[in-house]
């Protein structure tokens, strides 16, 4: 992913987080709401009682970031086809959704459904105070909500853990709290509250734990977000290194962020090393 597209995706994640309430009426680990579907536009109707993991993703035909995430969801559906069913849910009329899905063709190769009077939306988006799309929910085999977030964030990594049975819901709850604090951190920086910003930044780093995707987002925003009056490059390096360690050096995107942190701190030798 080139720098422009990457920044656009990450910015859409941050914007969606700005719309999230600090208090949620539902929590990770709660039972998932049943799917209330008016029409299955693509794919077979999904048996909610099946033992497969579900990814319920809310999107719309008019949503630019949704269009960006569609090929990624298709790739993940193919990768996890034996264990996971992906469902793209729109609250638009079927007459609007169907032509769009047809136009996308194989780029949108997973189940697509139209919400019934926004009942599915209410059971997921409204229940978890989510206002931005695209937003994906992972529903585990026990039909509990295991994770929610932007589908381009850390969906692949979390899915593999849920399938393997290594997913830690308590760590996930702390990571969600850290993610929800990202907009507040940048508000503090822009307001010139450097001390409070650093305190919150350290808290985000702590709660994010080994969530490589979240850590990488945080570091990249510190390093590249326009109009920041002051960049805490030391914090950016700590976060970028934590992301790199959590990914075990296997993510090109995370290595790129790590290299950028070295570059900004003037260590060109290491910047070149990790960029290569």
């Amino acid at each position: 992913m080139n720098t422009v597209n990457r920044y656009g995706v990450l910015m859409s994640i941050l914007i969606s987080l700005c719309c999230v309430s600090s208090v949620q009426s539902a929590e990770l680990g709660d039972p998932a709401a049943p799917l209330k579907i008016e029409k299955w536009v693509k794919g077979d109707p999904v048996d909610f009682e099946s033992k497969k993991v579900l990814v319920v993703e809310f999107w719309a035909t008019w949503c630019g970031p949704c269009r960006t995430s569609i090929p990624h969801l298709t790739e993940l559906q193919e990768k996890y086809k034996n264990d996971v069913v992906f469902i793209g849910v729109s609250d638009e009329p079927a007459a609007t959704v169907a032509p769009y899905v047809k136009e996308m063709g194989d780029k949108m190769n997973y189940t697509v459904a139209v919400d019934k009077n926004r009942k599915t939306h209410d059971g997921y988006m409204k229940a978890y105070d989510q206002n931005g799309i695209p937003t994906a929910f992972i529903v585990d085999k026990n039909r509990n909500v295991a994770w929610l977030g932007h589908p381009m964030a850390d969906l692949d990594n979390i899915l593999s853990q849920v399938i393997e049975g290594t997913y830690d819901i308590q760590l996930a709850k702390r990571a969600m709290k850290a993610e929800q604090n990202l907009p507040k951190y940048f508000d503090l920086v822009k307001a010139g509250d450097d001390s409070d910003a650093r305190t919150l930044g350290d808290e985000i780093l702590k709660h994010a734990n080994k969530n490589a995707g979240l850590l990488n987002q945080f570091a990249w925003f510190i390093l590249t977000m326009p109009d920041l009056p002051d960049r805490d490059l030391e914090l950016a390096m700590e976060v970028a290194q934590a992301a790199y360690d959590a990914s075990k050096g296997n993510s090109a995107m995370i290595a790129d962020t790590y290299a950028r942190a070295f570059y900004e701190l003037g260590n060109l030798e290491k910047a070149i090393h990790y960029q290569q």
Side-chain angles (χ1 to χ4, degrees), residues 48-93:
F48 193 73
E49 302 304 320
S50 75
K51 291 303 180 181
K52 284 195 173 184
V53 174
L54 303 180
V55 174
V56 184
E57 184 247 3
F58 292 85
W59 70 288
T61 60
W62 50 261
C63 168
C66 298
R67 192 177 187 96
T68 300
S69 67
I70 285 170
H72 178 61
L73 293 172
T74 295
E75 291 174 2
L76 293 182
Q77 176 64 96
E78 176 61 25
K79 180 177 180 180
Y80 296 111
K81 60 185 177 183
N82 294 326
D83 302 291
V84 183
V85 176
F86 284 72
I87 311 160
V89 179
S90 173
D91 62 3
E92 300 168 284

Side-chain angles (χ1 to χ4, degrees), residues 26-166:
E27 294 185 349
L28 293 183
D30 286 354
L35 302 177
K36 302 291 186 179
I37 301 303
E38 178 179 325
K39 182 178 179 61
W40 297 94
V41 176
K42 185 170 185 175
D44 297 327
V46 174
D47 179 6
F48 193 73
E49 302 304 320
S50 75
K51 291 303 180 181
K52 284 195 173 184
V53 174
L54 303 180
V55 174
V56 184
E57 184 247 3
F58 292 85
W59 70 288
T61 60
W62 50 261
C63 168
C66 298
R67 192 177 187 96
T68 300
S69 67
I70 285 170
H72 178 61
L73 293 172
T74 295
E75 291 174 2
L76 293 182
Q77 176 64 96
E78 176 61 25
K79 180 177 180 180
Y80 296 111
K81 60 185 177 183
N82 294 326
D83 302 291
V84 183
V85 176
F86 284 72
I87 311 160
V89 179
S90 173
D91 62 3
E92 300 168 284
T96 299
V97 175
Y100 183 94
V101 173
K102 183 177 180 180
E103 175 194 343
M104 293 299 292
D106 290 342
K107 293 180 181 178
M108 196 174 194
N109 204 15
Y110 51 88
T111 303
V112 181
V114 173
D115 203 351
K116 186 174 185 178
N117 299 322
R118 292 176 65 88
K119 293 295 185 182
T120 306
H121 178 281
D122 289 349
Y124 290 83
M125 296 290 286
K126 185 177 180 179
Y128 286 85
D129 294 320
Q130 301 294 303
N131 298 310
I133 55 174
T135 296
F137 293 76
I138 296 178
V139 179
D140 65 22
K141 294 179 181 179
N142 296 319
R143 292 300 170 257
N144 298 320
V145 175
W147 178 87
L148 67 92
H150 195 289
M152 299 293 286
D154 208 28
L155 181 56
D156 190 1
N157 178 46
I158 301 299
L159 264 180
S160 65
Q161 293 178 41
V162 171
I163 293 168
E164 293 166 4
T166 60

Side-chain angles (χ1 to χ4, degrees), residues 162-181:
V162 171
I163 293 168
E164 293 166 4
T166 60
Y167 185 64
D168 189 326
I169 193 71
Q170 297 305 319
L171 286 179
K173 288 182 178 181
R174 291 199 289 271
M176 177 174 285
K177 180 180 179 181
E179 190 169 23
Q180 290 171 344
N181 277 330

Side-chain angles (χ1 to χ4, degrees), residues 3 7 10 219-228 231 260 264:
T3 301
Y7 184 80
L10 292 178
W220 185 255
F221 283 137
I222 296 173
L223 293 166
T224 66
M225 182 178 285
D227 304 324
L228 283 187
R231 300 183 190 278
R260 178 65 175 260
E264 296 292 348

